[in-house]
Structure formats: C-alpha cells, structure tokens
Amino acid sequence: MTSYYQCISREQQQDGSCTAHYEPTIHAQGAWNEHEQHMAPATGILAHELEIFAPQPHLRIARISLDILGLIPLQAFSITTRSIRPGKTIELIEAVMSSGGRDCIIARAWRLISQDTSNIAGLEDHALTASPESLPIWPGMSIWPGGFIASTTAVSDPERRPGKGVVWLTTAYDMVEGEATTDFVRLMGLVDTANGVVPRNGLQLAETKLAFPNTDLQIHMHRLPEGKWLGIEAVQQYGADGIGLTSAVLHDKRGPFGRSEQILTLRPMV
C-alpha cells in the first residue's frame, strides 16, 4: 500500500454539499496511540476535499483552520464538505471529518481572489540557506512510533535544538490511492509534524513522561506551496500553567510560503 487513504465513494448532496467515504491505511497511523490517525495525514485528506470542492479558478485557499475534537480513530470515516459563505471574491468552505457517529475534526478554509500584486510583493520571512538535499538525514523522528512517521523522510539543520530549529520532511506516499496528489495536499499533509520536530523536553519522551498534543492547527499561506519537500522553521514554547504553543514558518524549496500555529495541552503521559 503506497497511500494514506482509500476512497470508497463520494456522494453529491442536494444541498450542494459533498460527502466522501474513506478507509485509512497503516501509513495514517498516529504517534500517541496505535489505534488513532495522525493529525498530519488527516489534515492532508481534509485539504484534498477542500481543494476539489466546487473550485473557482480565480479563488485560492489562503488559510486552513482545523479544530481537533478528540481522538481520530484509525477506522473508516467520512468527510462532508460545504460552502458556508459563498462569494465571487471571498468564500468560506468547511470540511468535517466524522467516524463512529461523532465528528473528529472541523476544518474551515478561506478562499480569496487571486490577482497580480507583483508590483507590491514583499516578504519579511527569509528563505532557508541550506537545501534539504544538502542536509543529513535526521534520525530524531524515529522516537515517534506509528505508521505515519515511518512513511516520512526527515533531514535537519545541525543547529536544531529542543525548542527551536529547522527540519525538512518529505514523503513518497500519495494521499489517496489511485489519485494524483497535488503539491498543496502533499505539503499540507506534513505541516502538523511541526509539533514534533523541536520538542522542548528533548528526544527522551519516555523519560520526561510529558505529552504535548495540539488541539488545533492553523495554516496561513501568502502563496501556494510547490514541490515535495516541506521546510519547518519551528519554535516551541511551554507556559507555566499547562499550555504551550508551537509556531512555524513554512518553506518549500522556493522559500517561505506561510506560517502555522498549534496550541498545546501539556499533560503527563499515561
């Protein structure tokens, strides 16, 4: 199996919404529990449904906001996608993943009008100096169990440390079996790993016994990403009252294309 998901069926509803039914493969398996999906490929499959839902060529996805409502079971699920706020220049769409009779993730995406603003374009985030091909394989991801982490390849900047650093990731797996995976979907399906590439408690999770799962993922993009490598320039911060924050500048090989944020609940591992 060389994909994260298998599409079983897709149904267009009379109200304009669309419901797709999927089966996850072992490659979607999570790191915190063996019976759950990892949020990264779950983000990818939701991005896939958002991307193909009633596309308008002059609009593009500029932000995806995902709220995680609980454990994401490693079992059959559906995604229902609909338009919440239709428009010719601004549109808000929503995709809800459901499994076993309950909603697992609510994803909302703003589509904004795309037009030529090259005469005023400018960035404050800087491109990374080293390309992923020039960096050594990073074995640190191997501390995380599960099929998803095993499906990825990671390289790291030598200055990466607990709390801050740069890691590049890629995967050779398609998001949906038998369907071409766009660059956008492929890289969206890796963003959630930002929370695991610079853990403040280092790489000895079993010794520190601290879990830091995120309850959301926010992705903002000033341009669409390209290619197969995702560069994550991450910073992780822990507060003193059990809440943390992982922030990242997101890169492809062209340079920075956006940012992500994840709010964390800090709790003892059980």
Side-chain angles (χ1 to χ4, degrees):
M1 194 68 64
T2 57
S3 64
Y4 293 106
Y5 300 100
Q6 295 175 299
C7 183
I8 307 305
S9 64
R10 180 175 283 109
E11 307 155 1
Q12 194 71 37
Q13 310 296 337
Q14 290 187 348
D15 63 359
S17 65
C18 179
T19 299
H21 300 272
Y22 286 97
E23 286 275 359
T25 72
I26 189 61
H27 306 303
Q29 184 184 43
W32 296 113
N33 298 286
E34 64 180 13
H35 56 280
E36 71 174 343
Q37 291 185 50
H38 198 289
M39 181 58 184
T43 299
I45 197 64
L46 285 160
H48 172 66
E49 288 297 321
L50 290 166
E51 181 182 48
I52 65 175
F53 178 77
Q56 300 187 63
H58 61 289
L59 301 180
R60 76 153 173 92
I61 293 176
R63 188 218 70 177
I64 302 178
S65 173
L66 304 104
D67 289 305
I68 308 166
L69 306 183
L71 184 145
I72 312 164
L74 190 67
Q75 63 186 38
F77 63 91
S78 65
I79 297 177
T80 298
T81 308
R82 65 190 181 101
S83 177
I84 296 176
R85 192 272 193 193
K88 294 182 179 179
T89 62
I90 298 174
E91 181 182 30
L92 181 63
I93 56 178
E94 177 185 80
V96 179
M97 176 187 286
S98 305
S99 180
R102 70 172 184 85
D103 295 341
C104 305
I105 306 171
I106 298 176
R108 289 186 169 183
W110 281 109
R111 285 173 169 165
L112 306 183
I113 188 170
S114 179
Q115 53 193 320
D116 183 10
T117 53
S118 56
N119 62 321
I120 58 170
L123 301 179
E124 298 298 331
D125 291 329
H126 299 291
L128 299 173
T129 56
S131 68
E133 292 87 355
S134 69
L135 297 173
I137 293 292
W138 184 53
M141 292 295 281
S142 64
I143 64 164
W144 300 103
F148 172 71
I149 296 301
S151 76
T152 64
T153 298
V155 299
S156 174
D157 186 287
E159 296 185 1
R160 191 210 66 82
R161 61 171 173 80
K164 188 174 183 179
V166 174
V167 171
W168 289 86
L169 290 102
T170 189
T171 177
Y173 291 78
D174 286 324
M175 191 58 59
V176 182
E177 183 178 358
E179 298 184 24
T181 303
T182 64
D183 293 348
F184 168 71
V185 168
R186 185 181 302 278
L187 297 192
M188 291 302 98
L190 294 169
V191 173
D192 185 72
T193 56
N195 194 38
V197 298
V198 291
R200 292 200 67 83
N201 50 336
L203 301 180
Q204 306 302 320
L205 298 181
E207 295 179 13
T208 58
K209 300 186 184 304
L210 174 71
F212 46 96
N214 51 303
T215 61
D216 80 335
L217 173 60
Q218 312 289 324
I219 305 170
H220 293 78
M221 295 164 286
H222 52 77
R223 69 168 171 85
L224 286 178
E226 301 174 5
K228 297 183 181 300
W229 282 96
L230 175 69
I232 300 174
E233 186 178 2
V235 174
Q236 190 176 80
Q237 305 179 84
Y238 293 168
D241 64 348
I243 298 172
L245 176 66
T246 296
S247 308
V249 179
L250 303 175
H251 300 256
D252 59 17
K253 292 175 67 175
R254 274 185 56 195
F257 67 83
R259 293 187 173 217
S260 68
E261 299 279 351
Q262 296 156 289
I263 199 69
L264 319 178
T265 174
L266 310 177
R267 54 183 61 200
M269 294 181 71
V270 294

